[in-house]
């Protein structure tokens, strides 16, 4: 447990290319359905959790 | 030493019995019997043996034997370390961990219970000795006296060691689970931001919420402690089951605090979605020794309380 990193942003899934930038992996979705699907898959793979930033972007965070 | 044999045996038996009675209470918190039973019964028996020989040894002027008591205390401290290490290791594999405050509490209890076995044995042998030597009673009277002494001490310590539980220090009732945007709420207490729509739907359909209102400022401080809140969600998850897999951190049961009032909101998706057993599980969670604060015992805390 102690050796795992926690509370870090693993990825961002967004529909708005203008809303996000920086050096985290960013996944662009064409619509809400795709955003949900990508976010769900990423969460399951990374054991992360999706949080809604309410600007069209989800951040996947490992707690 | 031969004439003391039955008194020592009496102390040994009572002390070991006392340890055994407490083992039955343990298993809810630490379900690793029967191996755990074996370890603790053996240690309990050793503790009882040490307690039982203490007074006869003293009367025989075997002062070296007394120093073994100090050595024993050292050994029982080791018991606490052993429990702590085991539970910490096991905690890494829990879907909802106990948390270190809970583990420390359990470890301490295990150490303390060895002393209980020792003291019960000591008092039983002591009582029997007093009656047979000082008052020169014969027959079964000293044995009966020893038994009563042991039981008395057992009862006293049992009462003293009994901690409070959440139901005693706080009002526990159901709270409505709803969403405010992406924020999961129990009544007006925000729990966490849930992104995925499917997760929100599951929360809306299946989650149960609990509101825990501290009865006074002391209780408020207990519930502020993160270890106490972790113990709450752990006990709830163990007793009602939790619908969460290892890759679904969004379904981790959480307890969050309303900083204005000190109320705590708890949300969980139990496998058994019954509110009454959930409330009962919450009420039965022990108040952890490591989480106890008593602001009402200080003049400043009392003055600030309203």
């Amino acid at each position: 447990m102690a050796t795992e990193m926690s509370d870090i942003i693993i990825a961002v899934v967004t529909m708005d290319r203008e809303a996000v930038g920086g050096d985290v992996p960013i996944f662009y979705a064409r619509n809400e359905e795709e955003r949900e699907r990508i976010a769900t898959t990423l969460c399951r793979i990374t054991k992360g959790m999706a949080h809604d930033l309410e600007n069209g972007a989800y951040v996947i965070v490992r707690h | 030493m031969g004439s003391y044999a039955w008194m020592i045996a009496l102390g040994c038996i009572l002390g070991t019995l006392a340890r055994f009675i407490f083992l039955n209470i343990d298993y809810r918190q630490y379900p690793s019997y029967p191996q755990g039973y074996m370890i603790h019964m053996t240690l309990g028996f050793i503790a009882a043996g040490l307690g039982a020989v203490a007074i006869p040894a003293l009367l025989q002027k075997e002062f070296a034997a007394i120093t073994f008591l100090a050595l024993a205390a050292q050994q029982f401290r080791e018991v606490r370390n052993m429990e702590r290490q085991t539970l910490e290791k096991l905690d890494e594999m829990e879907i909802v961990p106990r948390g270190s405050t809970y583990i420390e509490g359990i470890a301490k209890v295990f150490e303390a219970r060895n002393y209980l076995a020792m003291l019960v044995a000591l008092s039983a042998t002591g009582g029997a000795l007093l009656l047979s030597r000082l008052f020169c009673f014969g027959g079964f009277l000293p044995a009966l006296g020893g038994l009563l002494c042991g039981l008395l001490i057992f009862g006293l310590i049992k009462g003293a060691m009994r901690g409070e539980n959440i139901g005693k220090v706080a009002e526990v009732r159901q709270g409505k689970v709803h969403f405010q945007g992406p924020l999961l709420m129990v009544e007006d207490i925000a729990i966490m931001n849930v992104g995925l729509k499917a997760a929100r739907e599951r929360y809306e359909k299946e989650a149960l919420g609990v509101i825990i209102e501290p009865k006074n400022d002391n209780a408020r401080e207990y519930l502020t402690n993160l270890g106490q809140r972790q113990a709450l969600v752990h006990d709830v998850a163990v007793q009602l089951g939790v619908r969460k897999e290892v890759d679904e951190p969004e379904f981790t049961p959480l307890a969050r605090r309303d900083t204005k009032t000190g109320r705590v909101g708890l949300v969980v998706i139990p496998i058994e979605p019954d509110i009454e057993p959930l409330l009962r599980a919450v009420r039965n969670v022990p108040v952890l020794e490591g989480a106890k604060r008593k602001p009402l015992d200080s003049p400043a805390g009392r003055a600030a309380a309203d």
Side-chain angles (χ1 to χ4, degrees):
Chain A
M1 289 285 271
T3 52
E4 253 178 55
M5 282 199 281
S6 60
D7 294 326
I8 51 156
I9 297 179
I10 302 168
V12 178
V13 188
T14 182
M15 296 189 298
D16 181 3
R17 285 179 178 264
E18 304 293 312
V20 234
D23 56 1
V24 280
I26 303 168
F27 295 80
Y28 295 107
R30 278 179 289 267
N31 50 45
E32 268 194 36
E33 193 190 326
E34 195 183 29
R35 183 185 61 178
E36 289 292 321
R37 206 168 51 240
I38 297 174
T40 307
T41 313
L42 280 173
C43 283
R44 295 299 162 260
I45 297 169
T46 59
K47 294 183 191 164
M49 176 170 174
H51 295 287
D52 188 352
L53 297 187
E54 296 183 272
N55 63 350
Y58 280 179
V59 282
I60 315 282
V61 180
R62 188 185 290 145
H63 292 289
Chain B
M1 204 76 171
S3 57
Y4 298 119
W6 69 267
M7 297 172 196
I8 294 173
L10 179 77
C12 267
I13 292 168
L14 277 184
T16 312
L17 212 64
R19 185 70 192 88
F20 179 71
I21 290 167
F22 266 108
L23 264 184
N24 286 330
I25 304 169
D26 280 342
Y27 102 100
R28 181 174 63 98
Q29 300 176 337
Y30 184 32
S32 85
Y33 64 110
Q35 272 71 10
Y37 266 29
M38 193 63 209
I39 296 171
H40 291 294
M41 283 304 295
T42 313
L43 282 167
F45 175 71
I46 295 171
L50 283 164
V53 296
I55 297 175
L58 205 62
L59 291 177
Q60 293 282 307
K61 300 204 166 37
E62 295 275 359
F63 297 116
I66 296 300
T67 58
F68 276 97
L69 279 182
L71 202 67
Q74 184 64 36
Q75 289 303 318
F76 296 132
R77 284 246 300 280
E78 243 358 89
V79 171
R80 190 204 298 197
N81 283 335
M82 178 188 81
E83 287 305 328
R84 185 194 300 120
Q85 281 166 8
T86 313
L87 288 170
E88 270 171 359
K89 277 273 163 256
L90 293 177
D91 217 33
E92 291 173 20
M93 295 294 126
E94 293 278 0
I95 194 105
V96 181
R98 283 187 178 85
S100 51
T101 316
Y102 204 172
I103 288 178
E104 199 54 45
I106 296 174
K108 240 187 234 172
V109 162
F110 271 104
E111 181 186 354
R113 285 176 183 176
N114 282 307
Y115 300 132
L116 163 92
M118 198 189 268
L119 288 174
V120 167
L122 187 99
S123 55
T125 314
L129 248 170
L130 203 72
L131 286 178
S132 70
R133 293 296 138 99
L134 217 61
F135 301 111
C136 296
F137 285 122
F140 66 93
L141 221 78
L144 194 70
L147 188 75
L148 287 178
C149 272
L151 287 178
L152 182 75
I153 293 293
F154 177 74
L156 284 177
I157 298 180
K158 194 173 174 215
M161 275 167 65
R162 185 182 293 135
E164 291 170 309
N165 55 25
I166 292 293
K168 204 171 153 194
V169 300
E171 290 294 341
V172 179
R173 60 175 171 84
Q174 185 172 14
K176 190 175 179 296
V177 178
H178 63 103
F179 277 94
Q180 197 173 313
L183 267 188
L184 173 64
M185 316 275 292
V186 178
E187 291 189 354
D188 57 341
I189 304 171
I191 306 290
M192 65 174 148
N193 177 312
V194 180
L196 297 175
K197 288 202 171 67
R200 284 188 218 168
E201 277 167 24
R202 197 200 280 187
Y203 266 112
E204 277 170 342
K205 269 192 211 143
E206 300 174 28
L208 292 178
V210 176
I211 295 283
I212 306 161
E213 280 178 62
K215 285 181 185 166
N216 59 31
D217 284 12
N218 287 349
R220 184 194 67 207
E221 291 311 308
Y222 306 161
L223 289 168
T224 304
N225 187 286
L226 295 178
Q228 182 64 61
R229 284 190 255 162
Q230 188 60 36
L232 272 167
V233 289
H234 170 81
D235 268 11
V236 164
V238 164
Q239 288 171 57
L240 282 93
V242 60
R243 285 202 56 188
K244 178 204 170 192
E245 207 4 0
V246 67
D247 58 354
E248 299 174 324
E250 60 267 41
F251 298 123
T252 306
L254 286 178
R256 290 283 183 263
R257 193 165 75 108
D258 171 13
T259 48
K260 196 159 179 279
T261 59
R263 287 182 309 149
V264 164
L266 182 148
V267 70
V268 60
I269 306 186
I271 292 176
E272 311 284 350
D274 302 314
I275 187 67
E276 272 312 316
L278 173 65
L279 295 179
R280 196 188 306 163
V282 170
R283 289 189 189 110
N284 280 339
V285 173
V287 172
L288 303 179
E289 215 172 282
K292 275 198 172 177
R293 306 282 179 280
K294 300 229 159 146
L296 290 179
D297 285 2
S298 76
R302 263 198 311 277
D306 40 35

